Amino acid sequence: MKIDKNTTLKIAKLCRLRIEERETEELSSQLSSILDWVEQLNEVNTDNVEPLSNVSTAELPLRKDIENSEDKSKDILINAPEKLENYFVVPKVVE
Amino acid sequence: MEFSSITETLKTIRSKKISVEELSNIFIKRIKDSKNLNAFIYFNEEDIIEQSRKIDKLSNNLSLKGIPLAIKDLFCTKNMPTTAGSKILSNFHPTYESFVTQKLIDQGSVFVGKANCDEFAMGSSTTTSFFGNTINPVSPKGKQLVPGGSSGGSAAAVAAKLCLGATGTDTGGSIRQPASFCGVVGIKPTYGLCSRWGIVAFASSLDQAGIFANSIEDASILMKEVAGYDSNDSTSAKIRIPDYYKNLNQDVAGKIIGVPKEYTLPGISDEINNVWEEAIKLFEKGGAKIKKISLPRTKYALPAYYIIAPAEASSNLARYDGVKYGFRSNENNSLDEMYELTRSEGFGKEVKRRILIGTYVLSAGYYDAYYLKAQKVRKLIADDFTLAFKDCDFIMTPTTPSQAFQIGEKEEDPIKMYLNDIFTVPASLAGIPGISIPFGKSKEKLPLGIQLLSKHFDEQTILNAGLYLEKNNE
Amino acid sequence: MNNLIKGTKFEWETIIGLEIHAQVKSNSKLFSSSSTKFGSKPNSQVSLVDAAMPGMLPVINEFCVKQAIKTGIGLKAKINQYSVFDRKNYFYADLPQGYQISQYKYPIVGEGVVTIDFNNGESKDIRIVRLHLEQDAGKSLHDQNPVKTYVDLNRSGVALMEIVSEPDLRSAEEAALYITKLRSILMYLDVCDGNMQEGSLRADVNISVRKPGENYGTRCEIKNLNSIKFIKQAIEFEAKRQIGILEKGGEIEQNTLLFDSLISKTRPMRNKEEAHDYRYFPDPDLLPLKIEDSLIQSLVKEIPELPDERKKRYINDFHLSNYDSSVLTSEKQTSDYFDKVLESDNDLKGSAKLVANWITSELFAILNKHDLDIHQSPISPEHLGILIKLIISDKISGKIAKEVFEEMFQSKESPEKIVKEKDLIQVTDTKEIEIIIEKILNDNQDKVREYKEGKIKLLGFFVGQAMKESMGKANPKKLNQILLNKLR
């Protein structure tokens, strides 16, 4: 799959990475060659094969509905780059 | 005393010939003398001494009393910062202790520091770390070799005897490959054997904690302590953990060893194949039977892995956004700008590349062609192993396609770097346990490794076979 | 029913589908043990998992799974015994993981139905497409600071059920009936507290218009409406807006809208992300959810009588009108109260209509006046039952009963005690009533004369006087009878 500069920029936007103009070309060609390389998979016949998401064959464990209501805000906010009165603070969001 | 093995050191500690603090001082000195290796991201003498004094007062029965360990900086630790080798977490101080490291603490081990690793465990050379390269201690004079990756700091620290064991994580080979490069034992257990709780996630369906040690015996002792069910990890296995050390048995007579023909690849140096041949002969000498087997989809493991792992990573790494913890870019006029600059400045090149690939293969219109396809191929690869284990007790392959390479090599071509994991990735996709045991040397006298693979939760079989190989390796 | 909207040129049909987000009633969150308590200090009910700390992992709450299954049963829907949790990836300040754990391809509940009832007794089935479990996000506060947004993660990770309807609704009215009914079912099942003000029930409205018989038009989605009033207003405004554009020859742009309740208008979200691409994929931290048949069967046994069944029972067993039955059953608490009154005394079964009237008029009025919910009513169902029994056994008149009722509300005393203490028992003794009437007629001989001359209207005057004399206690029927006899 050939990835052009626009696709690279579009993907970068989706995952919130800023790509500098000068990086775009090299990155696009790297992504293209990686995708070309993984496309070998098309040689494999996977008709009627169930996709494998997780090798674990265990049952999904279920937790009892027991609440822990102690105030954890100190632990939660301690590493925050910006906080105020128990809130995380980020640049203004316009809805 | 040499203090190079856990078994010996435990005896000395228990007989009170040396205190934990005295022992720790020996290792502190070793670490300080080996600063040039850059094996550690975090190292704090006073903290080590403080831990040691506390442990000195604890019961002698603790199974790891006083044993100095290095912790890969992917494990969250309460008393030491945790960076995952990334700028984006360079100032992160967890308020919690990972399940695995808590178990090691509970057994009285001493954490000598946080070991360097590739950023978010993405790499095979420990050259993607924000905190600089780690030097392989086996590097000949005048050369700087990579220790492998991503758990390069852990492998290097164990090889240089800066500790007696280390934790690592293995997603596609990140324990086995550096173990091979540095000449130590490295085990990636079965997926689900060790809890992932508190380990910075790379690719959740593949990540597995494991250990490095200087011998199979030491590795067996550590394995028992890091394995175990955790109700906070929904993929954690509810199985009884055997006493691997007690159960060690190097008798391989009658064992059937699978040797997959697909692991003989064109372009791989003779020395790798020769060492493999030697190992086969050695096992035969011990009475084992060699069986040629086929794992037909081996070739496709690497491309499937390089779809699945980046896809999961692109989602797992979305939480590093500068809101709750970690690095935040100073320039931020809007939320989106803050996200983009934080992530662009905070992540390194390889991480960004994988996030982009992962985002692409999950995006609308491409999911089926890439991600779903890769998961189907993953199923076939897992089936290949299931089938193969009907005919053999364990599988033997080389761990890596080459000896340790020089820092800076393979950097220009991502795919060349990815090919390092060609022998280790299939087992990761299948979730089966794998171990790398130092065996043989390259022409340049560098260590090489043999990889043993077994069925899910059958770590004992490869530890036993590994012991045979280790004891008879001359 | 004709729901067509007249434009300036054509008549238009509104096509509406709702996505309801109902907060699951549980003590702890969907994937962590933090409390779901509303109104706590910011970021105090946030676990390491909810804050998406590195290395944290989700573990699902069994109770939330059961609540979703019960809801599915209540919606007469298919319970999927295999379902999968997926990650829905997008960036937002109050979405700490950078993805929401939701269900995409394999939801826990499949197709079901909700029946809505119109006032005229007709009803309509609204089809449910699916119900799935997902995590709520946190809360962003935009109005505290001119250049900053504050983030509170207390809600982050709270379990939601997203219930998606087919576009079967045709008017704001129908949408309101649908959400009212769905809310009622959820509250009967005790799976959601139904509190819309606190956001326990929110709706996204998908809306388009078309000329009758034509294909569906382009739709817009109005996000996050949290009151039935706003839902109606938003639909009405948006339908007119779309019709206005189409009649001018324009085209509807597919868009995500917000409803501004201050001006009752919709507007596009300003933060228009480039076309959403959520990159759903199965969450590798979780395994597929498998539900045993036995669990479903045991939950079926826990399902209470639901509003539709109750309504049918009221109509069939108590001969209540369709309207009364709907009013009584729309809130479970009201219906429970009604049932308790009837259960308190077998003799009341024949007077269900009277009981219904007392609840829907007197009780509702007084509760309303004091801003109380029916479960906070100072008058217990048992006491109301006794009061009504006093009426039907002619012990007190309806008028006296209202006085007693007021007193019961204030004092919480039993009606018997109040009647006794205030000596309000109805006078049914003929002799006693005759004496009173004699006195009144004697005192007003001129009026008696006028009456006999044909001014029959004066009867009311005599009744009033006699009633007053009896302090309101005379049995009105007897009083009337005797009075008429005496005046003949």
Side-chain angles (χ1 to χ4, degrees), chain B residues 21-289:
Chain B
E21 186 179 344
E22 286 162 338
L23 178 73
S24 293
N25 272 317
I26 293 170
F27 281 91
I28 288 170
K29 179 159 188 314
R30 291 185 189 175
I31 293 170
K32 284 160 89 174
D33 290 345
S34 306
K35 279 265 169 189
N36 62 314
L37 295 180
N38 194 32
F40 291 97
I41 291 174
Y42 180 82
F43 164 72
N44 182 330
E45 265 184 82
E46 285 138 49
D47 173 58
I48 296 168
I49 295 302
E50 200 181 309
Q51 289 180 59
S52 308
R53 285 179 182 158
K54 272 189 204 151
I55 292 163
D56 263 323
K57 293 181 194 131
L58 299 178
S59 157
N60 245 353
N61 295 329
L62 293 174
S63 56
L64 296 175
K65 185 170 181 181
I67 299 303
L69 300 176
I71 304 300
K72 186 179 185 182
D73 206 13
L74 218 59
F75 291 79
C76 290
T77 44
K78 227 175 185 170
N79 299 317
M80 297 184 272
T82 299
T83 70
S86 182
K87 180 180 176 186
I88 211 156
L89 280 178
S90 50
N91 55 359
F92 178 59
H93 295 263
T95 58
Y96 49 95
E97 187 74 33
S98 86
F99 185 84
V100 163
T101 49
Q102 185 60 54
K103 282 171 69 100
L104 293 171
I105 291 170
D106 292 345
Q107 289 307 325
S109 61
V110 175
F111 292 173
V112 295
K114 299 300 284 289
N116 199 8
C117 58
D118 278 303
E119 186 181 9
F120 285 99
M122 296 180 195
S124 308
S125 52
T126 313
T127 51
T128 71
S129 169
F130 177 65
F131 301 91
N133 303 326
T134 292
I135 314 295
N136 191 329
V138 304
S139 304
K141 262 215 160 71
K143 266 192 182 173
Q144 292 202 326
L145 302 181
V146 301
S150 66
S151 314
S154 298
V158 171
K161 312 277 193 303
L162 310 183
C163 53
L164 294 177
T167 66
T169 63
D170 188 317
T171 305
S174 283
I175 289 176
R176 290 160 286 164
Q177 186 252 18
S180 174
F181 278 12
C182 295
V184 297
V185 171
I187 307 178
K188 177 207 98 81
T190 309
Y191 181 82
L193 190 72
C194 305
S195 166
R196 292 184 291 115
W197 195 90
I199 301 173
V200 175
F202 161 17
S204 311
S205 77
L206 296 156
D207 292 345
Q208 186 51 220
I211 43 107
F212 293 92
N214 278 308
S215 69
I216 289 286
E217 288 185 342
D218 285 2
S220 305
I221 291 172
L222 290 174
M223 267 304 298
K224 181 170 176 251
E225 303 311 331
V226 293
Y229 177 69
D230 175 8
S231 61
N232 286 321
D233 175 356
S234 297
T235 60
S236 169
K238 234 180 197 162
I239 63 153
R240 207 182 54 81
I241 305 302
D243 191 332
Y244 303 107
Y245 176 65
K246 262 196 193 152
N247 295 345
L248 280 178
N249 175 1
Q250 56 165 307
D251 183 8
V252 294
K255 295 277 180 214
I256 302 172
I257 305 172
V259 175
K261 63 173 197 255
E262 289 81 5
Y263 282 60
T264 315
L265 294 176
I268 284 178
S269 68
D270 286 346
E271 56 191 9
I272 298 291
N273 289 328
N274 291 343
V275 164
W276 196 13
E277 248 342 287
E278 278 170 41
I280 288 171
K281 280 189 198 133
L282 187 57
F283 272 120
E284 280 177 328
K285 217 168 109 193
K289 290 193 174 59

